[in-house]
Amino acid sequence: LHTAYRRQRQMCIRDRLKTVPYDMKKANRKLLTVMTEELRLTGMTERVFALGADYQILKELKAQMPELMLGLIVPFVPADPVKLMKEMEAEIYLSYVWNMEKKIVTELHEAGYYVDGAILKEERWINIAREIGVDMYETDFPGIEAARELAG
């Protein structure tokens, strides 16, 4: 559990499930059991969301813990992003900004989903992220934002 977010004035923890299905499927299933037990023991269920691109593992996690929030890492442009989110029972849509357009972001927002732009390394993509209305974006270069704030 490594990144904290503010969501409706409550602290949420993001647990990114990094996986290589070919090598890790069996280990990930064991991890799901341990993770769900620990979340229940600590009472953190409502403050954690799991994020990943292995939708099979996320589905299994949601079956074990229906109350857990899910975030989908979507490294492609789905035919129907809202349908994908509903099918996966997810709340957070994370994709590269270059895989989005204003229409996708608007449809996801209208359906009640949170939209996150993946790591941006150029100011051009940060500007586009703001233009299309993502809720949040991640960058490896916080200096870009600091310079923007100083410039007013």
Side-chain angles (χ1 to χ4, degrees):
L1 305 174
H2 63 280
T3 304
Y5 286 96
R6 289 256 175 222
R7 184 159 191 248
Q8 298 175 350
R9 297 192 180 149
Q10 293 182 345
M11 182 69 75
C12 289
I13 309 290
R14 173 177 74 179
D15 186 7
R16 184 174 291 176
L17 300 173
K18 294 185 178 182
T19 181
V20 177
Y22 181 81
D23 295 329
M24 301 171 64
K25 193 67 84 173
K26 188 175 178 180
N28 282 339
R29 286 194 173 100
K30 288 181 185 177
L31 174 64
L32 293 183
T33 301
V34 171
M35 190 169 80
T36 56
E37 288 172 5
E38 286 301 312
L39 286 171
R40 285 193 175 104
L41 284 173
T42 60
M44 293 289 289
T45 307
E46 293 180 7
R47 294 179 163 232
V48 171
F49 70 91
L51 180 71
D54 184 336
Y55 297 176
Q56 291 176 347
I57 287 293
L58 289 175
K59 270 286 203 193
E60 290 177 31
L61 178 59
K62 190 71 169 179
Q64 290 181 31
M65 246 184 159
E67 68 276 24
L68 190 66
M69 291 184 291
L70 292 184
L72 300 183
I73 296 175
V74 187
F76 56 91
V77 181
D80 187 338
V82 172
K83 182 178 176 183
L84 172 64
M85 295 294 285
K86 285 180 184 174
E87 178 184 310
M88 290 298 299
E89 300 177 70
E91 296 183 7
I92 302 159
Y93 182 94
L94 170 72
S95 187
Y96 297 111
V97 171
W98 50 82
N99 280 346
M100 294 189 220
E101 58 185 322
K102 180 82 173 161
K103 180 179 184 267
I104 290 172
V105 175
T106 300
E107 289 172 357
L108 287 163
H109 282 158
E110 287 174 354
Y113 299 111
Y114 183 86
V115 182
D116 185 353
I119 297 172
L120 305 175
K121 298 182 180 185
E122 297 174 24
E123 190 166 1
R124 171 181 178 234
W125 293 111
I126 292 172
N127 292 336
I128 291 170
R130 288 174 176 224
E131 179 184 312
I132 65 175
V134 299
D135 297 296
M136 181 198 133
Y137 57 85
E138 304 168 36
T139 180
D140 283 340
F141 301 100
I144 291 173
E145 282 302 307
R148 183 189 300 263
E149 288 178 19
L150 287 173

